[in-house]
Amino acid sequence: MASETEQSIDEILLGVQALLQEARASLEQKEAFREPTFGPSLSTTSASEEVPTLLMMAVLESIRGHPAAPSARRWIIHQLEGRALSLGDIGGDRYADVRVSPRIFGPIQTIVAEGAVLEECDARLLHWRWPNVDREALHRVFGRLSPAVCLDQDSDGLRFHVPMLPERLALRFIGDGQSESSAGTLHKNAFALVDLDNSLSKPSTIFWLNDGGFVPDHLCGIAHHAGRWWPVLRGVTN
């Protein structure tokens, strides 16, 4: 299993590296670096144009002390918020205008169709009650997004909350953060876990993997931190 995971991570990072090289080539064509502007959202531009730039900004944001890091963070948040979708009928009269990431919108539609009820929203979380189901139902619906789902109660059904923007969450980094990985390799013992209990920690940008394919289910995404890419894994308690 370890070798399978390492091979999957290497393949993912090679693809990321190719996209980063594409973004760098595009930036080098400009005369000088400029602060990122709030251009069209991801929903109105092609993935081939926006994904490399989003990767570049995630790297830039994670460089501690870099003068452009705050601008990169604002650009990322603007892009993510710009492509968010309104809950509409799912939110009822009270929460119809609440906007969530397209990444989480599909699973939300599924749980509502299966009886889940939206009880409350705050600034960044949706709080749900789902009667007569167990944790396996959550894992089935949310798949690789399961680490972003926080269980509040586990009796006679479930109460849980999910983030409106799962692409921006606090992470706990475990392992050797000094290993070089920006060239496309990772230390096998270094990884990141979603830290749902640490709401005060600075969020990282997470690139979630789609469900299916040949990637192991416990490998959920990647994030950049301390000069390297980290695999985001499903926690043992999720």
Side-chain angles (χ1 to χ4, degrees):
M1 179 63 72
S3 60
E4 180 183 359
T5 299
E6 291 172 29
Q7 181 179 356
S8 297
I9 292 172
D10 287 342
E11 291 174 354
I12 291 168
L13 290 177
L14 286 174
V16 169
Q17 196 67 16
L19 290 171
L20 286 172
Q21 290 174 355
E22 177 184 335
R24 290 191 188 101
S26 176
L27 289 174
E28 287 173 358
Q29 292 176 0
K30 299 179 180 180
E31 294 181 358
F33 175 80
R34 298 180 181 179
E35 180 173 319
T37 57
F38 293 158
S41 69
L42 290 175
S43 60
T44 59
T45 56
S46 68
S48 62
E49 294 174 343
E50 287 298 337
V51 171
T53 306
L54 187 59
L55 288 166
M56 284 285 288
M57 292 302 158
V59 172
L60 184 59
E61 179 204 11
S62 71
I63 301 175
R64 182 177 300 178
H66 195 291
S71 296
R73 180 172 62 254
R74 290 193 297 269
W75 186 92
I76 291 171
I77 294 172
H78 182 83
Q79 294 297 101
L80 295 176
E81 291 179 344
R83 66 172 180 169
L85 305 173
S86 298
L87 288 179
D89 293 341
I90 292 175
D93 293 338
R94 187 177 182 184
Y95 300 120
D97 294 332
V98 171
R99 295 170 63 83
V100 302
S101 165
R103 175 68 69 173
I104 208 74
F105 192 83
I108 286 174
Q109 286 181 308
T110 300
I111 64 172
V112 169
E114 297 185 14
V117 177
L118 178 60
E119 293 191 314
E120 185 181 356
C121 294
D122 57 32
R124 62 186 184 86
L125 299 172
L126 307 175
H127 298 264
W128 297 89
R129 175 173 56 85
W130 196 1
N132 304 316
V133 297
D134 56 22
R135 297 187 184 193
E136 290 304 315
L138 283 179
H139 297 326
R140 170 178 57 82
V141 173
F142 286 93
R144 288 198 171 94
L145 279 172
S146 294
V149 179
C150 186
L151 194 63
D152 295 328
Q153 180 177 322
D154 188 8
S155 61
D156 190 25
L158 298 176
R159 278 189 166 84
F160 57 95
H161 59 263
V162 298
M164 298 174 187
L165 294 177
E167 296 91 341
R168 297 281 300 177
L169 296 175
L171 293 174
R172 181 158 46 99
F173 297 93
I174 300 172
D176 180 11
Q178 302 304 314
S179 303
E180 293 184 2
S181 66
S182 55
T185 60
L186 281 174
H187 192 288
K188 64 180 180 180
N189 294 322
F191 58 92
L193 299 175
V194 175
D195 194 355
L196 295 173
D197 296 325
N198 192 359
S199 60
L200 299 180
S201 178
K202 180 180 176 181
S204 297
T205 299
I206 304 173
F207 295 87
W208 294 96
L209 301 178
N210 293 324
D211 288 327
F214 299 100
V215 178
D217 289 341
H218 65 275
L219 176 56
C220 301
I222 60 171
H224 200 272
H225 172 74
R228 56 167 297 163
W229 290 100
W230 298 69
V232 180
L233 303 185
R234 191 192 306 268
V236 295
T237 59
N238 282 301

